[in-house]
Amino acid sequence: MTTAISAPPTRPVGVEAIHHALQTMPQSPGVYRMLGPKGEVLYVGKALNLKKRVTSYTHVSRLTERLRRMVSETGSMEIVTTHTEAEALLLEANYIKRMQPRYNILLRDDKSYPWIMLTDKHDFPQISKHRGKPVKGASYWGPFASAWSVNQTLNLLQRTFLLRSCSDSEMQGRARPCLLHQIHRCSAPCADRISREDYAALADQARSFLAGKNPHMREQLVSEMEAAAEALEFERAAAIRNRIRGLSALQQDSSVVNPSSLVDADIIAIWQIAGQSCIQVFFIRAGRNNGNRAFFPSHARDENAPDVLAAFIGQFYDDKPPPPQVLVNQDLPEHDVLASALSLRRGRKVEILHPQRGEKRGVIDHAAINAREALERRLAESAGQARLLQGVADLFGLDAPPARIETYDNSHIMGANAYGVMVVAGPEGFEKRAYRKFSIKGPVTPGDDFAMMREVLERRFRRALRDREEGNRPEDWPDILLIDGGAGQYSAVRAVLDDLGVTGVTLVAIAKGPDRDAGREWFHTADRPPFQLPPRDPVLYYLQRLRDEAHRFAITTHRAGRSKTLVRSELDDIPGVGPARKRALLNHFGSARSVRQAGLGELESAPGINRDMARTIYGYFHPDWTGE
């Protein structure tokens, strides 16, 4: 149940607003949200007893400076009651991750994690990499820390079990083996090079291996190889030998020594330096290391390591199931509540362990060392970044180092598939979460980059100006606008900004030098003639990196948009045929041409196509058909 508790208009914000909220605050488990004067979420917290917990904020002298500021800004509160404290913890983590309140410890993790997927409902199951929501009719193993780690594992699985990675439509439309068969990574079921029964045996072996249920698979393959050699079936023996090599590579240890008792677990260690934290996570599944990743949560400098780690774990598992064991290097506050919440999230018991000795202690210490080294590297990079930003401020006459630099570029081919992009950089380097793509909606005359840039900037700053007037998202206002171009581009963009009423933004154009040589760029900005920087100036290198990153992002965005256009088929234009029906038709008929040539009865027999839909499809390809 959600309840809004607002302070009366005549009552000031702060402690008195909290006192007003306490008048109707229940003494039950739940989640509370502290809201600012404009309704923005300042803080999200959970409690076993909401009234008791919120009352503690009225004792201002006992609060830290950060919490005092938060209380002074509070104008109203909202609460959601739950049945248990564990449910409250899960809801709190979800709210924090979704709302990003500035007074909470924040996990800035916007990526989805890749999994290995093996389809179930096919005579020849497909193995592939999968991101996003799971689909029915498939089995999943993971997660993996990165695309690199899942791709490495997928390549080795293909070498070991020879399972196809092509889509169902590609398999159906192929009569000859592809290159993967030639390099011994597929058994070529598309060309009948393997029977259905033998392929099913390979798929079952892959499932058993990924689930960690067949530790003696290597010995079995060795026996098969020796038997084939004794029977003088040398080609088959060589194929099994290749599978053994792939299996050996899969079973090799990587990055961290896994104790034999650690089968399915996440190893999570935190390290703090100078008020900043790094959390290192290792994914162990079926006794194998699926990779690791470093996280740098955002929090106040006075937050201690156990509190940061507990908040991280709650948010980290908000959108993914936890494993049976979670190893940590700190004694966590409210350990039992957190373990109950993770168990509720998983549907089975989850243990949170802080090993004190033995192999598991060695593993968690290894993760802590990785966290320390990652944090040291980040701090060194941040120091270098701060010097570069100070150099940019000195170069362009800013009062302070810029907190946000936006770089713009666009890409198209003769006006087709036109895209503009915005790349953002700041004290933490490139902020890829803030990158934006703009699909150009207006007509584009080939070569008219000015019109494209005008549309991009109008769409970007109309909303930004509205937010600025309302006092929302002040951190999204740029200090510097960097564009790729010379005096003409500078004048055109300056005119757009003036028309929109954009002020307080330093505009800089960076033009390639003679013969488009890097290092001889000209810079155009207000109140000074165009100038160049010394070829070895670090600030020059930094500005080149910003321009090149925008160019890279524009090119990849344009190529992705062009690829979508190229893979469109005539099926996309049929009314009522969406992605699911298009997939069903291609899987059944093999190609759009076959769909076009199919009779009405054949269309009606296709899976997922009813009689009315079949008549619609047939009528689309036969416009003279009267429906009789």
Side-chain angles (χ1 to χ4, degrees):
M1 176 182 174
T2 304
T3 306
I5 309 173
S6 302
T10 57
R11 208 173 276 213
V13 297
V15 175
E16 292 191 29
I18 296 175
H19 276 301
H20 173 75
L22 284 170
Q23 294 176 11
T24 55
M25 187 78 62
Q27 297 185 11
S28 59
V31 173
Y32 58 92
R33 285 177 284 177
M34 293 188 165
L35 309 180
K38 297 181 179 179
E40 70 277 18
V41 181
L42 302 176
Y43 183 79
V44 175
K46 65 106 178 77
L48 177 62
N49 184 318
L50 282 168
K51 189 162 192 172
K52 184 177 180 180
R53 180 71 183 90
V54 173
T55 299
S56 67
Y57 291 106
T58 62
H59 305 299
V60 179
S61 60
R62 303 176 188 175
L63 302 178
T64 63
E65 180 59 32
R66 177 179 65 91
L67 293 181
R68 290 176 189 170
R69 288 200 309 272
M70 180 191 74
V71 168
S72 69
E73 296 176 24
T74 301
S76 60
M77 293 188 67
E78 291 181 351
I79 63 168
V80 179
T81 57
T82 60
H83 294 95
T84 65
E85 192 177 8
E87 290 180 0
L89 192 149
L90 291 176
L91 184 60
E92 175 199 36
N94 178 270
Y95 280 170
I96 292 172
K97 196 167 185 178
R98 185 155 49 90
M99 300 175 180
Q100 300 283 297
R102 68 176 184 269
Y103 285 103
N104 279 99
I105 298 169
L106 302 179
L107 165 60
R108 302 190 183 277
D109 177 28
D110 60 344
K111 69 175 288 185
S112 61
Y113 290 84
W115 296 65
I116 286 177
M117 179 183 76
L118 185 61
T119 55
D120 296 330
K121 298 180 179 180
H122 197 282
D123 292 337
F124 299 98
Q126 172 201 17
I127 192 168
S128 62
K129 176 176 65 177
H130 178 82
R131 287 184 187 266
K133 293 183 178 180
V135 296
K136 293 182 179 180
S139 301
Y140 295 87
W141 291 270
F144 288 78
S146 63
W148 180 88
S149 59
V150 74
N151 287 337
Q152 288 291 101
T153 303
L154 198 57
N155 289 337
L156 293 172
L157 286 170
Q158 288 178 286
R159 283 175 52 189
T160 306
F161 301 106
L162 307 177
L163 301 178
R164 69 178 178 96
S165 59
C166 58
S167 67
D168 293 347
S169 57
E170 286 176 323
M171 176 187 168
Q172 192 169 354
R174 180 176 288 278
R176 298 174 58 187
C178 67
L179 181 62
L180 287 176
H181 177 69
Q182 307 298 329
I183 61 175
H184 311 296
R185 289 191 180 180
C186 180
S187 53
C190 58
D192 297 326
R193 298 296 176 91
I194 186 172
S195 69
R196 188 173 301 178
E197 293 74 18
D198 289 343
Y199 192 94
L202 290 175
D204 289 340
Q205 287 180 354
R207 289 190 182 94
S208 297
F209 176 80
L210 288 167
K213 296 179 179 178
N214 194 346
H216 305 296
M217 188 177 296
R218 178 185 171 84
E219 290 78 3
Q220 294 171 1
L221 289 175
V222 169
S223 299
E224 289 182 27
M225 181 183 66
E226 292 175 348
E230 289 178 3
L232 304 182
E233 298 177 359
F234 297 117
E235 289 188 7
R236 181 168 178 268
I240 298 173
R241 178 205 61 199
N242 293 336
R243 293 185 59 197
I244 292 172
R245 288 176 177 173
L247 184 63
S248 298
L250 272 172
Q251 292 175 331
Q252 283 178 357
D253 213 3
S254 61
S255 299
V256 64
V257 178
N258 303 335
S260 57
S261 60
L262 208 58
V263 180
D264 289 313
D266 284 343
I267 302 165
I268 306 179
I270 185 172
W271 196 273
Q272 288 190 321
I273 301 175
Q276 298 190 46
S277 301
C278 174
I279 297 174
Q280 192 77 228
V281 181
F282 285 81
F283 300 92
I284 308 299
R285 297 295 184 273
R288 296 184 308 278
N289 178 17
N290 283 357
N292 63 291
R293 187 181 174 209
F295 298 86
F296 301 92
S298 173
H299 60 80
R301 300 179 71 87
D302 58 352
E303 295 281 5
N304 60 47
D307 289 338
V308 174
L309 188 57
F312 169 86
I313 290 174
Q315 295 175 51
F316 183 69
Y317 292 112
D318 173 61
D319 57 355
K320 62 182 72 66
Q325 288 186 334
V326 177
L327 274 60
V328 297
N329 68 333
Q330 300 285 331
D331 289 324
L332 301 181
E334 300 181 316
H335 172 279
D336 294 341
V337 176
L338 187 56
S340 298
L342 296 187
S343 300
L344 192 64
R345 178 75 178 84
R346 183 170 183 260
R348 284 179 285 176
K349 184 179 180 180
V350 174
E351 294 182 298
I352 300 178
L353 306 176
H354 179 197
Q356 301 298 319
R357 62 184 65 85
E359 289 181 316
K360 291 182 179 179
R361 174 59 186 266
V363 169
I364 200 69
D365 286 346
H366 180 83
I369 292 171
N370 277 264
R372 184 197 69 199
E373 292 174 347
L375 183 55
E376 289 172 347
R377 288 193 298 271
R378 184 180 177 89
L379 291 173
E381 292 169 0
S382 296
Q385 184 78 0
R387 289 192 294 271
L388 288 173
L389 293 176
Q390 183 60 57
V392 171
D394 296 339
L395 178 65
F396 297 115
L398 275 65
D399 296 332
R404 182 181 174 101
I405 302 175
E406 294 182 358
T407 309
Y408 291 84
D409 200 359
N410 52 53
S411 180
H412 62 98
I413 295 180
M414 297 297 293
N417 304 118
Y419 285 89
V421 299
M422 176 184 79
V423 166
V424 179
E428 301 299 326
F430 288 111
E431 300 176 11
K432 296 195 175 183
R433 287 168 52 93
Y435 284 19
R436 293 293 179 268
K437 306 172 185 177
F438 301 88
S439 177
I440 303 302
K441 299 176 180 178
V444 177
T445 303
D448 190 0
D449 288 349
F450 294 165
M452 291 180 60
M453 188 62 69
R454 169 177 284 276
E455 179 179 331
V456 169
L457 292 173
E458 286 178 348
R459 288 164 61 182
R460 161 70 179 103
F461 280 99
R462 278 207 178 101
R463 180 172 180 177
L465 286 166
R466 200 161 51 243
D467 288 341
R468 196 183 194 193
E469 290 175 1
E470 297 171 357
N472 298 330
R473 306 178 66 85
E475 68 277 4
D476 286 355
W477 190 261
D479 297 305
I480 292 179
L481 215 78
L482 183 65
I483 59 170
D484 184 11
Q489 282 85 352
Y490 177 88
S491 299
V493 172
R494 182 73 269 168
V496 173
L497 297 180
D498 291 342
D499 291 344
L500 292 172
V502 175
T503 59
V505 177
T506 299
L507 176 62
V508 179
I510 175 172
K512 297 178 179 66
D515 302 321
R516 305 178 71 85
D517 287 343
R520 302 179 65 187
E521 286 84 352
W522 286 91
F523 291 90
H524 301 261
T525 188
D527 303 326
R528 61 188 297 186
F531 63 93
Q532 289 180 301
L533 293 175
R536 296 182 182 275
D537 192 325
V539 174
L540 172 62
Y541 290 150
Y542 178 63
L543 295 172
Q544 287 173 343
R545 281 178 57 208
L546 296 179
R547 178 200 60 194
D548 294 345
E549 172 67 2
H551 186 64
R552 179 203 65 79
F553 190 46
I555 292 293
T556 54
T557 300
H558 164 74
R559 286 176 178 169
R562 190 178 63 191
S563 297
K564 288 181 181 179
T565 303
L566 293 176
V567 299
R568 279 183 58 85
S569 74
E570 50 197 334
L571 300 181
D572 294 306
D573 299 324
I574 302 176
V577 175
R581 279 182 172 150
K582 176 184 174 183
R583 191 182 309 112
L585 288 168
L586 291 175
N587 288 344
H588 184 74
F589 291 101
S591 67
R593 177 183 296 178
S594 298
V595 176
R596 183 172 65 249
Q597 296 172 349
L600 184 59
E602 293 176 294
L603 290 169
E604 290 178 356
S605 66
I609 306 299
N610 57 32
R611 184 173 183 272
D612 291 339
M613 192 70 247
R615 293 170 69 85
T616 299
I617 297 170
Y618 188 81
Y620 177 83
F621 289 119
H622 301 83
D624 297 331
W625 181 60
T626 61
E628 299 178 356

